[in-house]
Amino acid sequence: MKYAIPEYVKKILQLLNDAGHEAYIAGGAVRDLLLGRTPGDFDITTAASPEETAAVCRAHGIKTVDNLGQNFGCVVAVVDGHAMEITTFRGESYGSDAHKPDKVWFSKNLHDDLKRRDFTVNAMVMDANGKVYDFHHGQDDLKNKVLRTVGDAQARYREDALRMLRACRFVGQLGFTYAQEDGLLPPFGEEGTPYYLPQNFQFPAERCAGLSLERVRTELDKLLTSEHAGHGLMLLMATGLTDAHCRFKKDGSYTELAILPELRHLAGLPQNRRFHCYNTWEHTLAAVDNSPRDLTIRWALLLHDLGKGMPGIRGTHPDGSPSDHGHEALSAVMADEVLARLRYAEKFRKRVVWLVSRHMRFAPMMFTKERTLMRWVRAPRRQ
């Protein structure tokens, strides 16, 4: 099968091959090509050492970025105006750091390089002719739409805690079902909904405490704006990652920060079935999935019902059904606290909080005349 491999990628692969070095397209680009998608970027893995890679580039007038990632065997080359990371086959071991390997050693063996990767669908390589090398059955998992780790999940996550958040993000981006062989837990969620997990999974979420806030926030944003965000968010909640902590460095010292524990009470929280077909958490997931993939809107929808079920808000109608009158005001206060803790920019935070505080006004407007909506849109508001 022919794959749309750009000429600049073929060029660097050929140059490395001609110099006697194995070289392949690696990781997410291979996954996307096999799925018929256009990769966002192309990474190369090679048997050449960083020095050998740099020498090949110099010999053919290709600019490299010096001293960038050398400790991890990475050379950044600019080929025909396109920057690519070219990384030497390597093995690695992990210590106390929650994300970075403690030791890295170079290898001439492709198997060594692929067995250290996170998920089977990311542990494939492709040569310049489109031949795929797949030692961990990644193509089978692509076909079956399954996301699983390379080897033991607990070991992979304890090595690099960011992989847990990446698992949730890939579920959201790819629409795949997550699977693992170990650490199996009872079902999670409301049975009969699209988000129900007939099998939950144990994640070592406490390892996230060593991750930087910036990395966690990047993964959350990518997850929230993904096509199947609700399913990734369900995995985030089910595995306890919402309740985990990360850290923020300021003035040389670290501060521990909670990620999203405010979401926890929404799981299984009943709603008035006259107006809602799901409980509060599944309703939140459905709202996210059925909205534009805009970060501001998605954050607003994730946080819009935080006030439901809280003391002073949760009440009961005469027929026994639950009520949450005024929850939007408390939700807005809680959303502001969440986004401030996660260090989002003030302008972004205010926009999200404004949407949360007024979300109960939108539904009635579906049944009112257009001039009512236009009058509301034109009304002065604080920015």
Side-chain angles (χ1 to χ4, degrees):
M1 183 175 178
K2 294 289 186 180
Y3 297 104
I5 303 173
E7 289 303 317
Y8 70 90
V9 177
K10 293 181 180 179
K11 178 178 179 179
I12 192 65
L13 291 174
Q14 192 62 57
L15 291 175
L16 287 165
N17 290 161
D18 290 346
H21 308 296
E22 287 183 65
Y24 308 94
I25 303 167
V30 179
R31 179 196 69 226
D32 290 344
L33 287 170
L34 293 174
L35 288 172
R37 302 181 178 187
T38 301
D41 51 40
F42 286 83
D43 294 333
I44 304 299
T45 187
T46 180
S49 69
E51 293 77 17
E52 290 169 333
T53 297
V56 169
C57 291
R58 283 195 303 270
H60 294 86
I62 295 173
K63 180 182 177 182
T64 61
V65 180
D66 295 332
N67 300 319
L68 181 61
Q70 290 286 327
N71 292 336
F72 297 99
C74 178
V75 173
V76 177
V78 181
V79 184
D80 299 337
H82 300 273
M84 285 188 295
E85 292 187 1
I86 306 172
T87 306
T88 302
F89 297 165
R90 74 183 199 223
E92 55 194 21
S93 64
Y94 288 78
S96 59
D97 193 283
H99 177 58
K100 294 180 181 179
D102 183 50
K103 295 179 181 179
V104 171
W105 56 90
F106 300 144
S107 172
K108 294 293 184 181
N109 190 321
L110 178 60
H111 286 265
D112 290 341
D113 191 71
L114 295 184
K115 72 182 181 182
R116 70 176 178 82
R117 296 181 181 262
D118 52 7
F119 304 103
T120 62
V121 297
N122 295 335
M124 298 177 283
V125 296
M126 179 183 291
D127 67 18
N129 297 316
K131 182 179 179 180
V132 177
Y133 296 79
D134 174 15
F135 308 133
H136 300 283
H137 310 292
Q139 291 177 95
D140 290 339
D141 285 340
L142 280 182
K143 181 180 178 180
N144 296 318
K145 297 186 176 182
V146 171
L147 183 77
R148 74 176 82 242
T149 58
V150 174
D152 179 72
Q154 298 296 315
R156 296 290 81 76
Y157 294 148
R158 290 195 177 280
E159 288 170 351
D160 182 352
L162 194 66
R163 289 170 174 166
M164 292 182 279
L165 294 166
R166 283 167 57 85
C168 300
R169 191 243 295 179
F170 283 132
V171 166
Q173 289 180 332
L174 300 173
F176 283 14
T177 299
Y178 179 80
Q180 75 181 43
E181 306 303 322
D182 56 329
L184 303 182
L185 297 174
F188 186 88
E190 183 175 353
E191 192 170 2
T193 71
Y195 305 103
Y196 175 69
L197 292 178
Q199 181 75 71
N200 192 12
F201 310 94
Q202 184 179 15
F203 279 13
E206 71 280 357
R207 285 283 290 160
C208 290
L211 293 176
S212 71
L213 171 62
E214 291 79 11
R215 290 191 182 277
V216 170
R217 198 170 58 197
T218 295
E219 291 298 326
L220 290 176
D221 289 349
K222 288 180 178 180
L223 167 56
L224 268 175
T225 52
S226 64
E227 184 177 358
H228 308 278
H231 293 278
L233 288 166
M234 188 58 155
L235 186 63
L236 192 84
M237 171 74 82
T239 55
L241 291 173
T242 52
D243 299 356
H245 291 74
C246 60
R247 61 184 186 177
F248 176 72
K249 190 173 185 179
K250 184 177 181 180
D251 299 329
S253 60
Y254 286 104
T255 299
E256 189 174 275
L257 299 174
I259 297 178
L260 284 170
E262 292 85 355
L263 296 175
R264 173 58 52 185
H265 79 284
L266 302 182
L269 182 68
Q271 298 194 102
N272 191 326
R273 290 291 176 166
R274 288 186 299 165
F275 306 108
H276 297 285
C277 58
Y278 299 149
N279 67 36
T280 312
W281 178 235
E282 272 84 343
H283 160 78
T284 296
L285 301 181
V288 169
D289 276 345
N290 287 280
S291 70
R293 289 164 62 182
D294 173 89
L295 188 62
T296 304
I297 294 172
R298 290 275 172 108
W299 265 111
L301 285 168
L302 179 66
L303 305 177
H304 81 282
D305 275 349
L306 287 183
K308 284 187 175 180
M310 298 297 285
I313 298 296
R314 175 52 57 109
T316 305
H317 290 293
D319 64 359
S321 60
S323 69
D324 289 286
H325 181 70
H327 74 274
E328 65 273 24
L330 179 56
S331 296
V333 172
M334 295 175 70
D336 191 43
E337 292 172 350
V338 169
L339 296 176
R341 181 180 71 241
L342 298 180
R343 303 299 198 275
Y344 280 90
E346 183 179 7
K347 185 176 181 180
F348 176 83
R349 193 173 81 236
K350 285 184 175 180
R351 286 177 174 174
V352 172
V353 171
W354 185 88
L355 287 171
V356 172
S357 69
R358 287 159 175 79
H359 78 267
M360 288 301 290
R361 300 188 184 188
F362 298 145
M365 288 182 188
M366 297 172 62
F367 308 101
T368 58
K369 294 181 179 180
E370 184 177 343
R371 64 174 179 271
T372 304
L373 173 60
M374 296 309 297
R375 185 166 58 249
W376 178 81
V377 169
R378 292 169 180 153
R381 63 202 62 160
R382 294 180 180 177
Q383 295 296 325

